[in-house]
Structure formats: C-alpha cells, structure tokens
C-alpha cells in the first residue's frame, strides 16, 4: 500500500487566498508561449515567493471545458506595479482556454501555494539551469538573488533559438547568460556538463537551481555529487487540488536513507536536488 509521509516536513502556516483578478494582458511571447498579466492587490503579492505557484481556474471558453484547476508557477510578482505574471505554454484544454482571456476579463486563482526556493548565506554564485517553461519558475528567483547581491549564471536551454525566453530578464539582473539549443547540439548533456565543470573550476557555482526536466536533474545531480555542489529543483507533477488533500501529486524522495512519499503541491514543489528520484 502506498503510504504518504506527511510528518517529514512541517510547512509554515498556510497563507493563501482564493481571489478573482482582472486580466491586464495576455499576449504571445512566441508561437508556443504566452505571458498573462493579472492586476493583483499588494497584500496578495506580498505573500508570493520565488518557486511558488497558483492554481488557476481556467475559463470555460473557446469550446474548452477544463474541469480541474491548472497549476502555474509565478513568473513575476511586482507589488509596486500591482502585477502578477504567468508564462505559460499552450498545451491542452486548460491553457487553450487561458489563451482566450482578454483585458478586463477575470481569472479566479488560488495561491500562492507550495514551498519556495531558498538561498543559503554562503551561496554567493548561483547557477540557474532551465529549459522551456522551466525558465518561468526560475525568473523570480533571479530577482531575489539580485536583491541579495548574489552573482548569477543563467543557462537557458531550448529546442530552437526562437524559443529561448527570459534571457533579457536574466541579463538585466546582471546574470551571465549562456544559451544552448537542440538546433546546434549545444544543449547536449555532454556540452552542459563541460559548461558546469568550467563554472565550478572558476569558483562560480556554489549552488544549482533547476525546474522540471529529468534530463537536467540527472546531470545536475551527477555533477553536484562529484563536486559537492548543493542544489534545489522545482518539480512539475500533475495536480488536482494543489492544497495537499487529494494526494495525487506524491513523489518518492530519498530522505535520511529511506524513501518517503511527499506531496509536490505541499512539501514541494521545491526540493533539495539530492533527494529527488529522477
Ligand atoms: C507546480 C507547477 C508549476 C507549473 N508551472 C507552469 C508554468 O509556469 N507554465 C506552464 O506553461 N506550465 C506550468 N506547469 C504545467 C501546467 O500545469 C500544465 O501544462 C497544465 O496543467 C496543462 O493543462 P492543459 O489543460 O492545458 O493541458 P492538459 O490537457 O491537462 O495536458 C496537456 C499535456 O500536458 C501534460 N501535463 C499536464 N499537466 C502537467 C504538469 N503538471 N506537468 C507536466 N506536464 C503536464 C499532459 O500530460 C499532456 O501531455 C506547472 C505545473 C506544476 C505542477
Ligand atoms: S494536488 Fe492534491 S495533494 Fe497535491
């Protein structure tokens, strides 16, 4: 029988809201991804942390009838502008329906949800490695790292140069941006490993951060283990409630020499990279 360990971590008090927010913008970034900007109150934005997500009640629109809410990472939260941003890939009924939202429409959201990224005091040089929509999750982490005066390297991976996103965002935060693509083969694990080894040799990798991709996770776990570089990953797992009740998002993790089953929505989505079973 599957046993879910809910005692391993004690998440902080659940500060979250269900709220309908007006759409300020919903524009294509390229042929696959869109940027959704919601008008949000400061009290909600003040609760947000990098790595957290919202569960979105996608509308019944455009012939789509998405049933459950869809989880979406916070791409940006700007209390001073009153804006909450999501970067999403149109993949199925929920995100197709999201794409129909226009300025002035309302979207019901629940959040912020989940455990955020953390930046330890001695992690001065951070290496962010992400591919596709994983970049959305790491974008607010880069803002926080910049605020704390940490040095950043952002390795952005994509199928094709047209799908590279957030590179300007990372560069504007002072990051050294390295782009790799499938098109020219530079996104291969071998090349990424060479890049990571170089950063470590130059003393520019105190911690790794990534999101989603199993391939990147395996590589970062291997390089991190070999050189003693810690890291964190935001996992993506299909979700229903997003609140810790339905248990549909449990994943096995290695903790204290045993396998424990934790909920990605509640104990995650951010986990210590060394604990995750790729
Ligand atoms: C914590 C979290 C944060 C996320 N952040 C983002 C984000 O910032 N931007 C973004 O575009 N997407 C993000 N996702 C994935 C997003 O939730 C799914 O793409 C979305 O639910 C798909 O809904 P749909 O109805 O459009 O497609 P569906 O018809 O439900 O699915 C379309 C395809 O996507 C796959 N899929 C569905 N849900 C997930 C999931 N959770 N993870 C991986 N694959 C999935 C399905 O297996 C199917 O192949 C996140 C997921 C999680 C768990
Ligand atoms: S989605 Fe319901 S417990 Fe995680």
């Amino acid at each position: 029988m599957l046993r879910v360990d809910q005692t391993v971590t004690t998440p902080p008090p659940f500060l979250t809201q269900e709220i309908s927010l007006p759409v300020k913008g919903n524009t294509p970034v390229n042929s696959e991804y869109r940027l959704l900007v919601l008008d949000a109150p400061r009290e909600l934005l003040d609760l947000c942390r990098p790595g957290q997500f919202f569960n979105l009640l996608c509308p019944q629109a455009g012939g789509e009838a998405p049933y459950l809410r869809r989880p979406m990472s916070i791409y940006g939260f700007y209390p001073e502008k009153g804006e909450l941003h999501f970067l999403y890939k149109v993949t199925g009924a929920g995100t197709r329906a999201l794409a129909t939202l226009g300025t002035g429409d309302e979207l019901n959201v629940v959040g912020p949800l989940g455990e955020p990224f953390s930046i330890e005091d001695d992690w001065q040089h951070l290496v962010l490695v992400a591919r596709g929509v994983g970049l959305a999750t790491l974008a607010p982490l880069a803002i926080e790292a910049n605020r704390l005066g940490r040095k950043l390297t952002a390795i952005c991976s994509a199928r094709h140069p047209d799908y590279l996103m957030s590179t300007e965002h990372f560069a504007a935060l002072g990051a050294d941006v390295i782009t790799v693509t499938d098109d020219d083969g530079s996104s291969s694990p071998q090349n990424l490993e060479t890049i990571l080894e170089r950063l470590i040799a130059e003393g520019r990798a105190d911690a790794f951060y990534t999101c989603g991709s199993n391939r990147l996770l395996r590589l970062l776990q291997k390089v991190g283990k070999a050189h003693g570089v810690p890291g964190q990953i935001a996992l993506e797992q299909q979700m229903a409630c997003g609140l810790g009740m339905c248990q549909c998002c449990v994943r096995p993790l290695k903790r204290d020499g045993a396998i424990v089953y934790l909920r990605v929505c509640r104990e995650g989505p951010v986990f210590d990279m060394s604990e995750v079973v790729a």
Side-chain angles (χ1 to χ4, degrees):
M1 192 178 91
L2 178 70
R3 293 194 53 192
V4 181
D5 191 333
Q6 297 174 358
T7 61
V8 176
T9 57
T10 311
F14 212 46
L15 296 169
T16 192
Q17 296 184 14
E18 182 197 350
I19 186 170
S20 288
L21 301 174
V23 174
K24 260 180 138 172
N26 186 13
T27 46
V29 172
N30 55 38
S31 61
E32 289 189 341
Y33 292 88
R34 297 179 75 91
L35 174 67
L36 176 65
V37 179
L38 303 178
D39 203 344
R42 185 168 196 127
E43 310 82 72
L44 179 71
L45 298 166
D46 281 342
L47 297 176
C48 296
R49 297 288 176 270
Q52 290 189 301
F53 66 98
F54 278 78
N55 221 0
L56 311 184
L57 189 63
C58 304
Q60 309 253 327
E64 306 292 354
Y67 181 58
L68 299 164
R69 288 175 182 267
R70 301 300 198 263
M72 216 50 82
S73 297
I74 300 169
Y75 179 54
F77 55 100
Y78 303 96
E80 63 294 348
K81 287 196 284 184
E83 290 182 359
L84 178 62
H85 293 196
F86 298 99
L87 182 71
Y88 66 98
K89 182 174 179 179
V90 180
T91 51
T95 44
R96 278 198 301 269
L98 267 191
T100 67
L101 289 171
T103 307
D105 288 343
E106 296 233 319
L107 178 65
N108 183 281
V109 305
V110 171
L113 295 165
E115 287 291 297
F117 287 112
S118 61
I119 302 175
E120 302 298 323
D121 289 345
D122 56 341
W123 296 355
Q124 292 300 322
H125 291 79
L126 311 184
V127 180
L128 280 46
V129 191
R131 185 172 166 86
V133 86
L135 294 162
T137 310
L138 298 185
L141 175 67
I143 296 179
E144 179 64 3
N146 179 262
R147 192 184 68 78
L148 295 173
R150 308 302 164 92
K151 297 199 171 59
L152 274 178
T153 301
I155 305 178
C156 305
S157 172
R159 270 200 335 268
H160 184 273
D162 288 352
Y163 297 124
L164 281 167
M165 290 176 299
S166 305
T167 50
E168 284 157 22
H169 170 85
F170 290 127
L173 293 166
D176 178 12
V177 179
I178 300 171
T179 59
V180 293
T181 63
D182 299 354
D183 255 17
D184 63 7
S186 54
S187 64
S188 70
Q190 295 80 355
N191 189 48
L192 283 173
E193 189 167 344
T194 306
I195 294 170
L196 294 170
E197 296 276 357
R198 177 171 53 80
L199 291 171
I200 292 168
E202 292 170 355
R204 294 166 59 206
D206 295 331
F208 295 141
Y209 292 88
T210 192
C211 177
S213 158
N214 252 332
R215 200 176 67 158
L216 287 179
L217 171 64
R218 269 194 221 100
L219 174 65
L220 291 170
Q221 281 179 329
K222 178 182 154 197
V223 177
K225 192 171 175 195
H227 297 276
V229 179
Q232 296 180 356
I233 179 168
L235 290 179
E236 277 195 13
Q237 188 79 359
Q238 293 219 342
M239 290 183 182
C241 71
L243 298 167
M245 286 179 287
C246 72
Q247 317 287 338
C248 87
C249 64
V250 292
R251 284 267 301 243
L253 281 99
K254 292 171 283 181
R255 194 167 276 186
D256 302 327
I259 294 287
V260 294
Y261 289 88
L262 298 177
R263 299 160 297 180
V264 172
C265 71
R266 193 77 173 97
E267 286 79 35
V270 175
F271 292 100
D272 185 320
M273 209 180 276
S274 64
E275 294 183 335
V276 176
V277 179

